[in-house]
């Protein structure tokens, strides 16, 4: 027993001594003038190398230098995006009113119309000058509710959605359930406001079968084309292109062997800047009306056949550039997925 205690004491002393040495080393490295100077030099050196590497990358791209670059095809030309048609101001107003109505219906016990109005006015007052300095003009219409053109609509959407997000935080609302229901109801509402422009799906969902799934999917894809074309005509986007879906993938999905995915590339979305700015500020409720409306269409036609619909959006610069500082998103790439419940 005495030997055991002695050995334990020896090891403990050595451990303490080693710990003291380690502490002194850490202090010398992290707190001494020399240690701080060395660390600053390392950081500055790394920053310099990164900057130099970026400059070389841009130079190499410009002159097609390097073995691998010389093998690749020419870089694609920048995508030419047509100008948006004139915004349908009346329909834009309907969309914005729908946003307010859905938000208030879900906040019935926590926020009312007057509180939302006050919040919108405060945000409008605090951010308007910044937007004006960046080139926004209101053509003599100072109120945030006055929709004139695409630029103004983008701004007003930003103000309203920031107000929604702020009220959600202030009232400690559980965000994820709220967002799901808000997006579902808003998508349905916008789709309903577009009138009877959709193709009726062949199956009412009474029987889940491969044939019914395929039939409803093809009908839905046709309707998506109609919806995005309607958005284009109303000036909400410049153009949109849906990815092709391989027949084999449709067959696998309809027989429950895999999920089904496709994308929709939206160019010239009038609320693109509002979407990006809100997310940069940390807000996760934003006005991506194309995604919400197409998601609604998919749900209405496929959920009754036991399919779960999900979607994600990504912001793309349609012109290649090796300089990240020149990244200018001009396209919203929306990925949709349908999967058996």
């Amino acid at each position: 027993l005495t030997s055991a205690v002695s050995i334990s004491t020896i090891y403990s002393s050595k451990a303490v001594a080693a710990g003291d040495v380690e502490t002194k080393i850490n202090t010398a490295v992290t707190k001494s003038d020399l240690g701080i100077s060395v660390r600053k030099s390392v950081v500055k050196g790394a920053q310099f190398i990164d900057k130099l590497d970026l400059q070389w990358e841009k130079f190499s791209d410009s002159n097609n230098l390097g073995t691998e670059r010389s093998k690749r095809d020419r870089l694609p030309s920048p995508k030419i995006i047509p100008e948006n048609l004139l915004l349908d101001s009346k329909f834009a107003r309907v969309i914005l009113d729908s946003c307010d109505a859905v938000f208030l219906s879900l906040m019935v016990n926590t926020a009312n119309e007057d509180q939302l109005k006050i919040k919108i006015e405060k945000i409008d007052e605090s951010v308007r000058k910044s937007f004006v300095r960046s080139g926004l003009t209101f053509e003599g219409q100072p109120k945030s509710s006055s929709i004139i053109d695409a630029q103004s609509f983008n701004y007003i959407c930003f103000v309203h959605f920031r107000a929604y997000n702020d009220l959600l935080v202030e009232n400690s609302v559980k965000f994820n359930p709220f967002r799901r229901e808000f997006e579902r109801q808003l998508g349905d509402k916008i789709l309903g406001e577009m009138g009877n422009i959709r193709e009726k799906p062949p199956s009412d969902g009474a029987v889940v079968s491969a044939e019914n799934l395929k039939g409803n999917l093809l009908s839905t894809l046709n309707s998506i084309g109609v919806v995005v074309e309607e958005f284009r005509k109303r000036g909400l986007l410049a153009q949109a292109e849906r990815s092709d879906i391989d027949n084999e993938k449709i067959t696998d999905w309809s027989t429950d062997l895999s999920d089904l995915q496709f994308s929709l590339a939206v160019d010239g979305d009038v609320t693109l800047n509002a979407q990006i700015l809100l997310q940069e500020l940390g807000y996760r409720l934003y006005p991506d009306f194309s995604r919400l409306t197409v998601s609604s269409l998919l749900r209405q036609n496929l959920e009754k056949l036991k399919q779960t619909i999900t979607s994600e959006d990504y912001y793309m610069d349609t012109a290649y550039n090796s300089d990240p500082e020149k990244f200018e998103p001009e396209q919203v790439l929306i990925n949709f997925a349908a999967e058996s419940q």
Side-chain angles (χ1 to χ4, degrees):
L1 179 60
T2 304
S3 300
V5 172
S6 300
I7 292 171
S8 175
T9 303
I10 291 169
Y11 281 137
S12 176
S13 299
K14 287 183 177 179
V16 170
D20 289 343
V21 172
E22 185 177 350
T23 300
K24 290 178 181 178
I25 292 173
N26 287 338
T27 301
V29 171
T30 59
K31 296 184 178 180
S32 70
D33 291 341
L34 177 60
I36 293 172
S37 176
V38 169
R39 290 166 63 208
K40 285 183 177 179
S41 297
V42 170
V43 171
K44 287 181 179 179
Q47 290 173 339
F48 175 76
I49 293 297
D50 284 345
K51 186 176 181 180
L52 193 64
D53 186 56
L54 178 59
Q55 290 174 346
W56 176 253
E57 183 72 17
K58 290 188 283 187
F59 178 77
S60 300
D61 267 347
S62 301
N63 296 278
N64 201 34
L65 300 180
T67 304
E68 293 304 317
R69 279 189 179 84
S70 64
K71 292 178 182 178
R72 72 186 182 187
D73 296 333
R74 289 174 57 87
L75 293 175
S77 301
K79 185 176 183 180
I80 298 175
I81 299 175
E83 292 289 328
N84 288 46
L85 298 178
L86 187 66
L87 181 70
D88 183 340
S89 187
K90 183 178 179 181
F91 186 63
R93 179 76 253 176
V94 167
I95 290 177
L96 194 59
D97 287 345
S98 297
C99 294
D100 287 351
V102 172
F103 178 80
L104 290 171
S105 71
L106 296 174
M107 296 284 284
V108 64
N109 295 319
T110 49
N112 57 42
E113 187 175 354
D114 289 338
Q115 290 172 309
L116 176 59
K117 184 179 179 181
I118 291 170
K119 178 65 71 174
I120 288 172
E121 289 176 349
K122 284 183 177 179
I123 293 173
D124 179 36
E125 184 179 352
S126 67
V127 303
R128 177 178 287 264
K129 289 182 180 179
S130 297
F131 277 80
V132 170
R133 284 195 297 269
S134 67
L136 178 66
T137 57
F138 292 92
E139 299 180 11
Q141 299 290 337
K143 299 298 182 182
S144 62
S145 61
S146 302
I147 298 175
I148 302 168
D149 55 18
Q151 191 182 41
S152 299
F153 180 58
N154 174 71
Y155 169 75
I156 297 166
C157 283
F158 169 80
V159 171
H160 279 242
F161 273 77
R162 181 168 172 178
Y164 304 158
N165 282 281
D166 284 351
L167 286 170
L168 290 174
V169 173
E170 290 170 10
N171 290 279
S172 301
V173 176
K174 292 183 179 179
F175 181 76
N176 288 332
F178 180 92
R179 180 186 181 185
R180 281 194 298 270
E181 194 57 31
F182 176 85
E183 291 186 344
R184 173 183 287 269
Q185 290 191 26
L186 182 56
D188 289 347
K189 203 167 183 64
I190 294 173
L191 196 58
E193 293 290 349
M194 298 178 75
N196 189 24
I197 63 172
R198 295 169 287 163
E199 181 177 313
K200 186 177 180 181
S203 172
D204 60 3
V207 178
V208 178
S209 66
E211 181 180 357
N212 286 343
L213 281 167
K214 286 182 180 180
N216 277 26
L217 173 66
L218 295 176
S219 171
T220 304
L221 294 178
N222 290 337
S223 293
I224 289 172
V226 174
V227 167
V228 296
E229 175 61 14
E230 192 68 17
F231 268 35
R232 188 193 69 81
K233 290 178 179 177
R234 295 177 185 266
L236 293 168
L237 54 86
Q239 61 185 11
E241 182 179 3
R242 177 180 60 80
S243 63
D244 293 329
I245 308 176
D246 186 84
N247 287 331
E248 186 176 345
K249 290 182 179 179
I250 294 177
T251 299
D252 288 345
W253 165 72
S254 66
T255 54
D256 203 18
L257 294 177
S258 68
D259 63 355
L260 183 74
Q261 298 191 35
F262 68 91
S263 60
L264 183 69
V266 178
D267 297 318
D269 189 324
V270 292
T271 63
L272 176 66
N273 291 335
Q275 295 176 44
I276 294 173
L277 182 55
L278 284 163
Q279 291 178 80
E280 286 179 345
L281 292 172
Y283 298 119
R284 292 188 291 150
L285 197 68
Y286 46 90
D288 48 348
F289 302 126
S290 297
R291 180 177 68 85
L292 302 188
T293 308
V294 172
S295 293
S296 177
L297 186 57
L298 286 164
R299 280 197 309 270
Q300 290 182 15
N301 291 350
L302 296 179
E303 271 193 348
K304 53 192 174 185
L305 292 172
K306 309 302 181 185
Q307 294 294 308
T308 298
I309 306 301
T310 57
S311 61
E312 288 184 282
D313 39 24
Y314 307 89
Y315 300 93
M316 314 293 289
D317 187 342
T318 55
Y320 172 81
N321 197 307
S322 59
D323 186 352
E325 294 179 359
K326 294 183 179 179
F327 176 73
E328 294 184 9
E330 296 179 331
Q331 180 184 90
V332 186
L333 183 64
I334 312 170
N335 187 70
F336 297 97
E339 187 174 12
S340 297
Q341 295 175 0

